[in-house]
């Protein structure tokens, strides 16, 4: 639940950043984003799209959630979302 919430927050921050700057950012500091304790979030961004994946350090690396928007490719690990804007979690995270 925490990792899904972190990606929901990241998604909202990315949309706000895009509205203000006309592009997405891969820099958490630009977005004023901080992951929850023991959560690792990776962000890949281009001006026209971004993707993010979150894992919890106390679980296996195939447990987590992922999301993508715009022209970005969906993350392949820990799980691959089917549609832009959809936060998808591995089965344990549902």
């Amino acid at each position: 639940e925490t990792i899904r919430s972190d990606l929901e927050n990241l998604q909202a921050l990315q949309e706000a950043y895009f509205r203000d700057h006309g592009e997405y950012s891969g820099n958490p500091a630009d977005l004023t984003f901080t992951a929850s304790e023991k959560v690792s979030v990776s962000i890949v961004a281009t001006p026209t799209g971004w993707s993010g994946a979150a894992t919890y350090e106390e679980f296996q690396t195939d447990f987590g959630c992922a999301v993508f928007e715009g022209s970005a490719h969906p993350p392949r690990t820990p799980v691959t979302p089917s549609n832009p804007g959809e936060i998808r979690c591995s089965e344990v995270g549902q």
Side-chain angles (χ1 to χ4, degrees), residues 8-25:
E8 288 170 351
N9 291 336
L10 177 59
Q11 193 172 36
L13 291 168
Q14 282 284 18
E15 292 309 311
Y17 189 88
F18 187 83
R19 280 192 304 275
D20 292 345
H21 302 277
E23 64 183 13
Y24 294 104
S25 175

Side-chain angles (χ1 to χ4, degrees), residues 41-94:
V41 176
S42 61
I43 306 167
V44 176
T46 68
T48 58
W50 70 278
S51 66
T55 55
Y56 193 66
E57 69 181 41
E58 294 182 357
F59 291 108
Q60 296 174 359
T61 57
D62 61 351
F63 168 76
C65 298
V67 64
F68 73 104
E69 296 275 1
S71 65
H73 293 288
R76 295 179 188 206
T77 59
V79 63
T80 302
S82 302
N83 301 303
E86 167 196 20
I87 297 175
R88 184 166 177 208
C89 298
S90 51
E91 193 169 312
V92 177
Q94 292 290 348

